[in-house]
Amino acid sequence: MARPAADRDHPGGRTVRLAQDGQPAAALLDAAAREGLRVRAKTAGPSNIGNLPAGEGIPATAGFGVRYEGLHGLDERARLADLPGVHAVHRGAVLSLLGADG
């Protein structure tokens, strides 16, 4: 399988891992905890969209969403029942970053 162009342009890969206590990662992790969700930070691959703003010095997160199975397969599917909780986490994180917790 051919590597994506973004990977070919950066031999050896270019991945960025945010500190869990830095923003915006901390806001997202805190908001998830407030919703009763146990999530963990992890490193995404070099073609992850979060690397685009990170390459410009803008910390970003990518990948928190609904649970899924069969990623990139013919039978890929997502658990839509997770949407309200995921929305609440993202909303809480944004409000926290804006200083408008609530």
Side-chain angles (χ1 to χ4, degrees):
M1 173 183 283
R3 289 180 10 185
D7 293 349
R8 285 194 307 271
D9 293 343
H10 301 282
R14 174 179 63 162
T15 60
V16 177
R17 184 177 179 99
L18 300 177
Q20 291 186 33
D21 59 350
Q23 297 300 2
L28 193 60
L29 291 169
D30 289 344
R34 286 193 305 269
E35 288 298 315
L37 300 175
R38 291 180 23 175
V39 297
R40 62 180 175 79
K42 63 182 183 178
T43 303
S47 62
N48 185 284
I49 190 63
N51 290 310
L52 182 62
E56 300 298 323
I58 302 167
T61 62
F64 178 74
V66 300
R67 288 174 283 179
Y68 58 86
E69 294 180 33
L71 183 63
H72 302 314
L74 294 175
D75 62 346
E76 181 175 5
R77 55 209 173 277
R79 185 173 175 170
L80 299 181
D82 290 349
L83 282 173
V86 169
H87 174 266
V89 168
H90 282 280
R91 183 178 186 280
V94 169
L95 290 174
S96 176
L97 289 167
L98 293 173
D101 289 325

